[in-house]
């Protein structure tokens, strides 16, 4: 059985057909993400959105993904 985290477990239960791999990695978040994902079928990253923001505001991890991941990428607003 794979070990899980409380944040991931509800999604594993809701979508049992989707493979979820939870890893703990050390390093800067942008570079570590790029190194860890390899060539995914789809990479989904978030960007904050909230009242009072004009236009998309991308953080450093999303910027790194946009510039360095050579697979389909979905940038999803949250918050």
């Amino acid at each position: 059985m794979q070990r899980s985290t409380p944040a991931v477990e509800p999604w594993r239960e809701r979508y049992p057909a989707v493979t979820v791999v939870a890893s703990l990695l050390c390093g800067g978040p942008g570079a570590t993400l790029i190194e860890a994902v390899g060539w995914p079928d789809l990479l989904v990253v978030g960007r904050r959105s909230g009242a009072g923001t004009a236009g998309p505001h991308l953080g450093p991890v999303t910027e790194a993904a946009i510039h360095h991941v050579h697979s389909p990428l979905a940038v999803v607003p949250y918050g």
Side-chain angles (χ1 to χ4, degrees):
M1 169 139 186
Q2 245 184 351
R3 293 179 63 185
S4 188
T5 63
V8 173
E9 194 55 38
W11 299 106
R12 281 186 201 263
E13 292 172 6
R14 188 168 181 181
Y15 300 101
V18 175
T19 302
V20 177
V21 177
S23 301
L24 177 61
L25 305 171
C26 295
T32 302
L33 174 69
I34 302 312
E35 184 179 329
V37 299
W39 289 86
D41 292 332
L42 173 66
L43 176 63
V44 180
V45 294
R47 73 164 176 81
R48 290 186 185 252
S49 65
T53 61
H57 293 276
L58 305 177
V61 174
T62 301
E63 285 278 350
I66 289 170
H67 293 289
H68 300 289
V69 172
H70 302 288
S71 298
L73 175 68
V75 179
V76 179
Y78 68 91

Coordinates of all heavy atoms in Angstrom, one line a residue:
M1 N 0.8 -1.2 0.0 CA 0.0 0.0 0.0 C 0.9 1.2 0.0 O 1.9 1.3 0.7 CB -0.9 0.0 1.2 CG -1.6 1.3 1.5 SD -3.3 1.0 2.0 CE -3.9 2.6 2.0
Q2 N 0.5 2.2 -0.8 CA 1.2 3.5 -0.9 C 0.9 4.3 0.3 O -0.2 4.4 0.7 CB 0.8 4.2 -2.2 CG 1.9 4.3 -3.1 CD 1.5 5.2 -4.3 OE1 0.3 5.5 -4.5 NE2 2.4 5.5 -5.1
R3 N 1.9 5.0 0.8 CA 1.7 6.0 1.9 C 1.1 7.2 1.3 O 1.3 7.5 0.2 CB 3.0 6.3 2.6 CG 3.6 5.1 3.4 CD 4.9 5.5 4.0 NE 4.6 6.5 5.0 CZ 5.6 7.1 5.7 NH1 6.8 6.8 5.5 NH2 5.3 8.1 6.6
S4 N 0.2 7.9 2.1 CA -0.4 9.0 1.5 C -0.4 10.1 2.6 O 0.0 10.0 3.7 CB -1.9 8.7 1.2 OG -2.5 9.8 0.5
T5 N -0.8 11.3 2.1 CA -0.9 12.5 3.0 C -2.3 12.8 3.2 O -3.2 12.5 2.3 CB -0.1 13.7 2.4 OG1 -0.8 14.0 1.2 CG2 1.3 13.3 2.2
P6 N -2.7 13.5 4.2 CA -4.1 13.9 4.4 C -4.6 14.7 3.3 O -5.8 14.6 2.9 CB -4.1 14.6 5.7 CG -2.9 14.1 6.5 CD -1.9 13.8 5.4
A7 N -3.8 15.5 2.6 CA -4.2 16.4 1.6 C -4.6 15.6 0.3 O -5.4 16.0 -0.5 CB -3.2 17.5 1.3
V8 N -3.9 14.5 0.1 CA -4.1 13.7 -1.1 C -5.1 12.7 -1.0 O -5.8 12.3 -2.0 CB -2.7 13.1 -1.6 CG1 -2.9 12.1 -2.7 CG2 -1.7 14.2 -1.9
E9 N -5.3 12.1 0.2 CA -6.2 10.9 0.4 C -7.6 11.1 -0.1 O -8.1 10.2 -0.8 CB -6.2 10.5 1.8 CG -6.8 9.1 2.0 CD -6.1 8.1 1.2 OE1 -4.9 8.1 1.0 OE2 -6.8 7.2 0.7
P10 N -8.3 12.2 0.1 CA -9.7 12.4 -0.4 C -9.7 12.3 -1.9 O -10.7 11.8 -2.5 CB -10.1 13.8 0.1 CG -9.2 14.1 1.2 CD -7.9 13.4 0.9
W11 N -8.7 12.8 -2.6 CA -8.7 12.7 -4.1 C -8.4 11.3 -4.6 O -9.0 10.9 -5.6 CB -7.7 13.7 -4.6 CG -8.0 15.1 -4.2 CD1 -7.4 15.8 -3.3 CD2 -9.1 15.8 -4.7 NE1 -8.0 17.0 -3.1 CE2 -9.1 17.1 -3.9 CE3 -10.1 15.6 -5.6 CZ2 -10.1 18.0 -4.1 CZ3 -11.1 16.6 -5.8 CH2 -11.0 17.8 -5.1
R12 N -7.6 10.5 -3.9 CA -7.4 9.1 -4.2 C -8.7 8.4 -4.1 O -9.0 7.5 -5.0 CB -6.4 8.5 -3.3 CG -5.0 8.8 -3.6 CD -4.1 7.9 -2.6 NE -2.8 8.5 -2.5 CZ -1.7 8.0 -3.2 NH1 -1.9 7.1 -4.0 NH2 -0.6 8.6 -3.0
E13 N -9.5 8.6 -3.1 CA -10.7 7.9 -2.8 C -11.8 8.3 -3.9 O -12.5 7.5 -4.4 CB -11.2 8.2 -1.4 CG -10.4 7.6 -0.3 CD -10.8 8.0 1.0 OE1 -11.8 8.7 1.2 OE2 -10.0 7.6 2.0
R14 N -11.8 9.6 -4.2 CA -12.8 10.1 -5.2 C -12.5 9.7 -6.6 O -13.4 9.4 -7.4 CB -12.8 11.6 -5.1 CG -14.0 12.2 -5.9 CD -14.1 13.7 -5.6 NE -15.2 14.2 -6.4 CZ -15.6 15.5 -6.3 NH1 -15.0 16.3 -5.5 NH2 -16.6 15.9 -7.1
Y15 N -11.2 9.6 -7.0 CA -10.8 9.2 -8.3 C -9.9 8.0 -8.3 O -8.7 8.1 -8.5 CB -10.2 10.4 -9.0 CG -11.1 11.6 -9.1 CD1 -11.0 12.6 -8.3 CD2 -12.1 11.6 -10.1 CE1 -11.8 13.7 -8.4 CE2 -13.0 12.7 -10.2 CZ -12.8 13.7 -9.3 OH -13.6 14.8 -9.4
P16 N -10.4 6.8 -8.0 CA -9.5 5.7 -7.8 C -8.7 5.2 -9.1 O -7.7 4.6 -9.0 CB -10.4 4.6 -7.3 CG -11.8 5.0 -7.7 CD -11.8 6.5 -7.7
A17 N -9.2 5.6 -10.2 CA -8.6 5.2 -11.5 C -7.4 6.1 -11.8 O -6.6 5.8 -12.7 CB -9.6 5.2 -12.6
V18 N -7.3 7.2 -11.1 CA -6.2 8.1 -11.4 C -5.0 7.8 -10.5 O -5.1 7.7 -9.3 CB -6.6 9.6 -11.1 CG1 -5.4 10.5 -11.3 CG2 -7.7 10.0 -12.1
T19 N -3.8 7.6 -11.1 CA -2.6 7.3 -10.4 C -2.1 8.6 -9.7 O -1.9 9.6 -10.4 CB -1.5 6.7 -11.3 OG1 -2.0 5.5 -11.9 CG2 -0.3 6.4 -10.5
V20 N -1.9 8.6 -8.5 CA -1.3 9.7 -7.7 C 0.0 9.3 -7.1 O 0.0 8.2 -6.4 CB -2.3 10.2 -6.6 CG1 -1.7 11.3 -5.8 CG2 -3.6 10.6 -7.2
V21 N 1.0 10.0 -7.3 CA 2.3 9.8 -6.7 C 2.6 11.0 -5.8 O 2.8 12.1 -6.3 CB 3.4 9.5 -7.7 CG1 4.7 9.3 -7.1 CG2 3.0 8.4 -8.6
A22 N 2.7 10.8 -4.5 CA 3.1 11.8 -3.6 C 4.6 11.7 -3.3 O 5.0 10.6 -2.9 CB 2.2 11.8 -2.4
S23 N 5.4 12.7 -3.4 CA 6.8 12.7 -3.2 C 7.2 13.9 -2.4 O 6.7 14.9 -2.5 CB 7.6 12.7 -4.5 OG 7.2 11.6 -5.3
L24 N 8.2 13.7 -1.5 CA 8.8 14.8 -0.8 C 10.2 15.0 -1.4 O 11.0 14.1 -1.3 CB 8.9 14.4 0.7 CG 9.6 15.4 1.6 CD1 8.8 16.7 1.6 CD2 9.7 14.9 3.0
L25 N 10.4 16.2 -1.9 CA 11.6 16.5 -2.6 C 12.2 17.8 -2.0 O 11.5 18.6 -1.5 CB 11.4 16.7 -4.1 CG 10.7 15.6 -4.8 CD1 10.3 16.0 -6.2 CD2 11.6 14.4 -4.8
C26 N 13.5 17.9 -2.0 CA 14.2 19.1 -1.5 C 14.7 20.0 -2.6 O 15.2 19.4 -3.6 CB 15.3 18.7 -0.6 SG 14.8 17.8 0.9
G27 N 14.6 21.3 -2.5 CA 15.1 22.2 -3.5 C 14.1 23.3 -3.7 O 13.1 23.4 -3.1
G28 N 14.5 24.2 -4.6 CA 13.6 25.3 -4.9 C 12.4 24.7 -5.6 O 12.5 23.8 -6.4
P29 N 11.2 25.3 -5.4 CA 10.0 24.7 -5.9 C 9.9 24.6 -7.4 O 9.5 23.6 -8.0 CB 8.9 25.5 -5.3 CG 9.5 26.7 -4.8 CD 10.9 26.4 -4.5
G30 N 10.3 25.7 -8.1 CA 10.2 25.7 -9.6 C 11.1 24.6 -10.2 O 10.6 23.8 -11.0
A31 N 12.3 24.7 -9.9 CA 13.3 23.7 -10.4 C 13.0 22.3 -10.0 O 13.1 21.4 -10.8 CB 14.7 24.1 -10.0
T32 N 12.6 22.1 -8.8 CA 12.3 20.7 -8.3 C 11.1 20.2 -9.0 O 11.1 19.0 -9.4 CB 12.0 20.7 -6.8 OG1 13.2 21.3 -6.2 CG2 11.8 19.4 -6.3
L33 N 10.1 21.0 -9.3 CA 8.9 20.5 -10.0 C 9.3 20.1 -11.4 O 8.9 19.1 -11.9 CB 7.8 21.6 -10.1 CG 6.6 21.3 -11.0 CD1 5.8 20.2 -10.3 CD2 5.8 22.6 -11.2
I34 N 10.0 21.0 -12.1 CA 10.4 20.7 -13.5 C 11.2 19.4 -13.5 O 11.0 18.5 -14.4 CB 11.3 21.8 -14.0 CG1 10.6 23.2 -14.0 CG2 11.8 21.5 -15.4 CD1 9.2 23.2 -14.5
E35 N 12.1 19.2 -12.6 CA 12.9 17.9 -12.6 C 12.1 16.7 -12.2 O 12.2 15.7 -12.8 CB 14.0 18.1 -11.5 CG 15.0 16.9 -11.5 CD 16.0 17.1 -10.4 OE1 16.5 18.2 -10.2 OE2 16.5 16.0 -9.9
A36 N 11.1 16.9 -11.4 CA 10.3 15.7 -10.9 C 9.3 15.3 -11.9 O 9.0 14.1 -12.0 CB 9.6 16.1 -9.6
V37 N 8.7 16.2 -12.7 CA 7.6 15.8 -13.6 C 8.0 15.0 -14.8 O 7.2 14.3 -15.4 CB 6.7 17.0 -13.9 CG1 6.0 17.5 -12.7 CG2 7.4 18.0 -14.8
G38 N 9.2 15.3 -15.3 CA 9.6 14.6 -16.5 C 8.8 15.0 -17.7 O 8.7 16.2 -18.0
W39 N 8.1 14.0 -18.4 CA 7.3 14.3 -19.5 C 5.8 13.8 -19.2 O 5.4 12.8 -19.7 CB 7.8 13.6 -20.7 CG 9.1 14.2 -21.2 CD1 10.3 14.0 -20.8 CD2 9.2 15.3 -22.2 NE1 11.2 14.8 -21.5 CE2 10.6 15.6 -22.3 CE3 8.3 15.9 -23.0 CZ2 11.0 16.5 -23.2 CZ3 8.8 16.9 -23.9 CH2 10.1 17.2 -24.0
P40 N 5.1 14.6 -18.4 CA 3.7 14.2 -18.1 C 2.8 14.3 -19.2 O 3.0 15.0 -20.2 CB 3.3 15.1 -16.9 CG 4.1 16.4 -17.3 CD 5.4 15.9 -17.9
D41 N 1.7 13.5 -19.2 CA 0.6 13.7 -20.2 C 0.0 15.1 -20.1 O -0.4 15.7 -21.0 CB -0.5 12.6 -20.0 CG 0.1 11.3 -20.4 OD1 1.0 11.2 -21.2 OD2 -0.5 10.3 -19.8
L42 N -0.1 15.6 -18.8 CA -0.6 16.9 -18.5 C -0.1 17.3 -17.2 O -0.2 16.5 -16.2 CB -2.2 16.9 -18.5 CG -2.9 18.1 -18.0 CD1 -2.6 19.3 -19.0 CD2 -4.4 17.9 -17.9
L43 N 0.4 18.5 -17.1 CA 0.8 19.1 -15.8 C -0.2 20.2 -15.5 O -0.5 21.1 -16.3 CB 2.2 19.7 -15.9 CG 2.7 20.4 -14.6 CD1 2.7 19.4 -13.4 CD2 4.0 21.0 -14.8
V44 N -0.8 20.2 -14.3 CA -1.7 21.2 -13.8 C -1.1 21.9 -12.7 O -0.6 21.4 -11.7 CB -3.1 20.5 -13.3 CG1 -4.0 21.6 -12.9 CG2 -3.7 19.7 -14.4
V45 N -1.0 23.3 -12.8 CA -0.5 24.1 -11.8 C -1.5 25.2 -11.5 O -2.4 25.5 -12.3 CB 0.9 24.8 -12.2 CG1 2.0 23.7 -12.3 CG2 0.7 25.6 -13.5
G46 N -1.4 25.8 -10.4 CA -2.4 26.8 -10.0 C -1.8 28.2 -10.0 O -0.6 28.4 -10.1
R47 N -2.7 29.1 -10.1 CA -2.4 30.6 -9.9 C -3.4 31.2 -9.1 O -4.6 30.9 -9.1 CB -2.2 31.3 -11.3 CG -3.6 31.6 -11.9 CD -3.4 32.6 -13.0 NE -4.6 32.9 -13.7 CZ -5.6 33.7 -13.3 NH1 -5.5 34.3 -12.2 NH2 -6.7 33.8 -14.0
R48 N -3.0 32.1 -8.2 CA -3.9 32.8 -7.3 C -4.8 33.7 -8.1 O -4.3 34.4 -9.0 CB -3.2 33.5 -6.2 CG -2.6 32.6 -5.2 CD -2.0 33.4 -4.1 NE -1.2 32.5 -3.2 CZ -1.7 32.1 -2.0 NH1 -2.8 32.6 -1.5 NH2 -1.0 31.3 -1.3
S49 N -6.0 33.8 -7.7 CA -6.9 34.8 -8.3 C -7.8 35.3 -7.1 O -8.1 34.5 -6.3 CB -7.8 34.3 -9.4 OG -8.7 33.3 -8.9
G50 N -8.0 36.5 -7.1 CA -8.8 37.1 -6.0 C -9.4 38.4 -6.4 O -9.0 39.0 -7.4
A51 N -10.2 38.9 -5.5 CA -10.8 40.3 -5.7 C -9.6 41.3 -5.8 O -8.7 41.2 -5.0 CB -11.7 40.6 -4.6
G52 N -9.8 42.2 -6.7 CA -8.8 43.3 -6.7 C -7.6 43.0 -7.6 O -6.7 43.8 -7.7
T53 N -7.5 41.8 -8.2 CA -6.4 41.5 -9.1 C -6.8 41.8 -10.5 O -7.9 41.5 -11.0 CB -5.9 40.1 -9.0 OG1 -7.0 39.2 -9.3 CG2 -5.5 39.8 -7.6
A54 N -5.9 42.5 -11.2 CA -6.2 42.8 -12.6 C -5.3 41.9 -13.5 O -4.1 42.0 -13.4 CB -5.9 44.3 -12.9
G55 N -5.9 41.0 -14.2 CA -5.2 40.1 -15.1 C -4.5 39.0 -14.3 O -4.6 38.9 -13.1
P56 N -3.9 38.1 -15.1 CA -3.3 36.9 -14.5 C -2.1 37.3 -13.7 O -1.3 38.1 -14.2 CB -3.0 36.0 -15.6 CG -2.9 36.9 -16.8 CD -3.8 38.1 -16.5
H57 N -1.9 36.8 -12.5 CA -0.7 37.0 -11.7 C -0.1 35.6 -11.5 O -0.7 34.8 -10.7 CB -1.1 37.7 -10.4 CG -1.5 39.1 -10.6 ND1 -0.6 40.1 -10.7 CD2 -2.8 39.6 -10.7 CE1 -1.3 41.2 -10.9 NE2 -2.6 40.9 -10.9
L58 N 1.0 35.3 -12.1 CA 1.6 34.0 -12.0 C 2.7 34.0 -11.0 O 3.5 35.0 -11.0 CB 2.1 33.6 -13.4 CG 1.1 33.6 -14.5 CD1 1.8 33.2 -15.8 CD2 0.0 32.7 -14.2
G59 N 2.8 33.0 -10.2 CA 3.9 32.9 -9.3 C 5.1 32.3 -9.9 O 5.1 31.8 -11.1
P60 N 6.2 32.1 -9.2 CA 7.4 31.6 -9.7 C 7.4 30.2 -10.2 O 8.0 29.8 -11.2 CB 8.5 31.8 -8.6 CG 7.7 32.0 -7.4 CD 6.4 32.6 -7.8
V61 N 6.6 29.3 -9.5 CA 6.5 27.9 -9.9 C 5.7 27.8 -11.2 O 6.1 27.1 -12.1 CB 5.8 27.1 -8.8 CG1 5.6 25.7 -9.3 CG2 6.7 27.1 -7.5
T62 N 4.6 28.5 -11.4 CA 3.9 28.5 -12.6 C 4.7 29.1 -13.7 O 4.7 28.5 -14.8 CB 2.5 29.3 -12.4 OG1 1.8 28.7 -11.4 CG2 1.7 29.3 -13.7
E63 N 5.4 30.2 -13.5 CA 6.3 30.7 -14.5 C 7.4 29.7 -15.0 O 7.6 29.6 -16.2 CB 7.0 32.0 -14.0 CG 6.2 33.2 -13.9 CD 6.0 33.9 -15.2 OE1 6.7 33.6 -16.2 OE2 5.2 34.8 -15.3
A64 N 8.0 29.0 -14.0 CA 8.9 28.0 -14.4 C 8.3 26.9 -15.2 O 8.9 26.4 -16.2 CB 9.5 27.4 -13.1
A65 N 7.1 26.5 -14.8 CA 6.4 25.4 -15.6 C 6.2 25.9 -17.0 O 6.4 25.2 -18.0 CB 5.1 25.0 -14.9
I66 N 5.7 27.1 -17.2 CA 5.4 27.7 -18.5 C 6.6 27.7 -19.4 O 6.6 27.3 -20.6 CB 4.8 29.1 -18.4 CG1 3.4 29.0 -17.8 CG2 4.8 29.8 -19.7 CD1 2.7 30.3 -17.5
H67 N 7.7 28.0 -18.8 CA 9.0 28.2 -19.6 C 9.8 26.9 -19.8 O 10.6 26.8 -20.7 CB 9.8 29.3 -19.0 CG 9.2 30.6 -19.1 ND1 9.1 31.3 -20.3 CD2 8.7 31.4 -18.2 CE1 8.5 32.5 -20.1 NE2 8.2 32.6 -18.8
H68 N 9.6 25.9 -19.0 CA 10.5 24.8 -19.0 C 9.8 23.4 -19.2 O 10.5 22.4 -19.4 CB 11.4 24.7 -17.7 CG 12.2 26.0 -17.6 ND1 13.3 26.2 -18.4 CD2 12.1 27.0 -16.7 CE1 13.8 27.4 -18.1 NE2 13.1 27.9 -17.1
V69 N 8.5 23.3 -19.0 CA 7.9 22.0 -19.2 C 7.4 21.9 -20.7 O 6.8 22.8 -21.2 CB 6.7 21.8 -18.2 CG1 5.9 20.6 -18.6 CG2 7.1 21.8 -16.8
H70 N 7.8 20.8 -21.3 CA 7.5 20.7 -22.7 C 6.3 19.7 -23.0 O 6.3 18.9 -23.9 CB 8.8 20.2 -23.5 CG 9.9 21.2 -23.3 ND1 9.9 22.4 -23.9 CD2 11.0 21.1 -22.5 CE1 11.0 23.0 -23.5 NE2 11.7 22.2 -22.7
S71 N 5.4 19.7 -22.1 CA 4.2 18.9 -22.1 C 3.0 19.8 -22.0 O 3.1 21.0 -21.7 CB 4.2 17.9 -21.0 OG 5.3 17.0 -21.1
P72 N 1.8 19.3 -22.3 CA 0.6 20.1 -22.1 C 0.6 20.6 -20.7 O 0.9 19.9 -19.7 CB -0.5 19.2 -22.4 CG 0.1 18.1 -23.3 CD 1.5 18.0 -22.8
L73 N 0.1 21.9 -20.5 CA 0.1 22.5 -19.2 C -1.2 23.2 -19.0 O -1.7 24.0 -19.9 CB 1.3 23.6 -19.1 CG 1.3 24.4 -17.9 CD1 1.7 23.6 -16.7 CD2 2.4 25.5 -18.1
A74 N -1.8 23.0 -17.9 CA -3.1 23.7 -17.6 C -2.8 24.6 -16.4 O -2.3 24.2 -15.3 CB -4.2 22.8 -17.2
V75 N -3.1 25.9 -16.5 CA -2.9 26.9 -15.4 C -4.3 27.2 -14.9 O -5.1 27.8 -15.6 CB -2.2 28.2 -15.8 CG1 -2.0 29.1 -14.7 CG2 -0.8 27.8 -16.4
V76 N -4.6 26.8 -13.6 CA -5.9 26.8 -13.1 C -6.0 27.9 -12.0 O -5.2 27.8 -11.0 CB -6.4 25.5 -12.6 CG1 -7.8 25.5 -12.0 CG2 -6.3 24.4 -13.7
P77 N -6.9 28.9 -12.1 CA -7.0 29.8 -11.0 C -7.7 29.2 -9.8 O -8.5 28.4 -9.9 CB -7.8 31.0 -11.6 CG -8.6 30.3 -12.7 CD -7.8 29.2 -13.2
Y78 N -7.2 29.7 -8.6 CA -7.9 29.3 -7.3 C -7.8 30.5 -6.4 O -7.1 31.4 -6.6 CB -7.2 28.1 -6.8 CG -5.8 28.3 -6.3 CD1 -5.5 28.7 -5.0 CD2 -4.7 28.2 -7.1 CE1 -4.2 29.0 -4.5 CE2 -3.4 28.5 -6.7 CZ -3.2 28.8 -5.4 OH -1.9 29.1 -5.0
G79 N -8.6 30.4 -5.3 CA -8.6 31.3 -4.3 C -9.4 32.5 -4.4 O -9.9 33.2 -4.9

